Amino acid sequence: MSSRTKMTIFWLLFGASILLAVFPPLYLAGSGIDSPILGVPFSVAYWIFDALLATGAVWLLWTFENIRGEVGEEPEEVAA
């Protein structure tokens, strides 16, 4: 997998969590739902899911880079 593909997947997952956190219509659309998810009210489950998505994206990137031996390396500078 190329570095570009890796970062695209990361930003899709992490960007989705950012979108869920900062785009109010998504949260407000579900805030009136009364049905609990696994015993947790929907509004709380929404934020738990968002936190797990962001954490999972960072964990997945770290794991992938650790397997490739890229953790701790300085990024290559782009020539201007």
Side-chain angles (χ1 to χ4, degrees):
M1 180 183 301
S2 71
S3 180
R4 184 181 181 112
T5 303
K6 173 187 70 176
M7 292 310 293
T8 300
I9 292 170
F10 169 74
W11 279 111
L12 284 174
L13 294 173
F14 198 71
S17 72
I18 291 171
L19 185 66
L20 287 172
V22 299
F23 193 61
L26 291 176
Y27 174 72
L28 293 175
S31 65
I33 298 173
D34 292 333
S35 59
I37 298 174
L38 300 175
V40 178
F42 181 83
S43 59
V44 175
Y46 179 90
W47 291 112
I48 291 172
F49 172 76
D50 190 35
L52 290 176
L53 183 62
T55 304
V58 172
W59 177 79
L60 188 63
L61 178 65
W62 181 82
T63 301
F64 189 77
E65 287 188 345
N66 197 22
I67 290 171
R68 293 174 55 161
E70 298 172 346
V71 175
E73 289 184 7
E74 294 292 325
E76 294 180 22
E77 293 188 25
V78 178

